[in-house]
Amino acid sequence: MKARKWEFEPSTIRVKKGDKVKLKIESVDVAHGFKISELGINKELKPGQITVVEFTADKIGEFEFFCSVFCGTGHKDMVGKLVVE
């Protein structure tokens, strides 16, 4: 995945319940964050580095992920969706 002002790429991630998920997220410009409140995930993404986020998708549903580090005027629009089927 890529994190950049003010988007995640891809913005939708689809997995199956029970999957062990490993996301490699690269912040390509400034510091960002990656947070999924319902799953207890909150990672800082440092610029120019790849951060690995690992978890088991143990709940079915749609979960918003968002930038948890203020990154500028479009910060509130930096959101995506995790779909667990």
Side-chain angles (χ1 to χ4, degrees):
M1 284 183 74
K2 303 256 188 229
R4 67 173 58 85
K5 289 184 177 180
W6 292 280
E7 65 179 346
F8 288 101
E9 183 185 313
S11 61
T12 301
I13 301 167
R14 293 185 179 275
V15 299
K16 300 284 186 198
K17 183 180 179 194
D19 283 354
K20 292 183 189 252
V21 181
K22 182 176 185 177
L23 302 174
K24 295 178 181 178
I25 309 171
E26 179 183 12
S27 176
V28 299
D29 47 20
V30 299
H32 293 289
F34 181 83
K35 185 170 184 174
I36 305 175
S37 299
E38 296 90 346
L39 302 180
I41 297 167
N42 190 13
K43 295 282 189 174
E44 182 180 347
L45 309 174
K46 295 181 180 176
Q49 294 184 15
I50 294 174
T51 301
V52 177
V53 177
E54 294 183 89
F55 61 95
T56 299
D58 56 0
K59 297 179 187 177
I60 290 177
E62 293 187 2
F63 307 96
E64 181 181 77
F65 57 84
F66 57 94
C67 180
S68 56
V69 174
F70 184 75
C71 58
T73 57
H75 170 73
K76 66 180 173 27
D77 299 319
M78 192 169 173
V79 297
K81 181 171 43 173
L82 170 70
V83 179
V84 182
E85 302 170 327

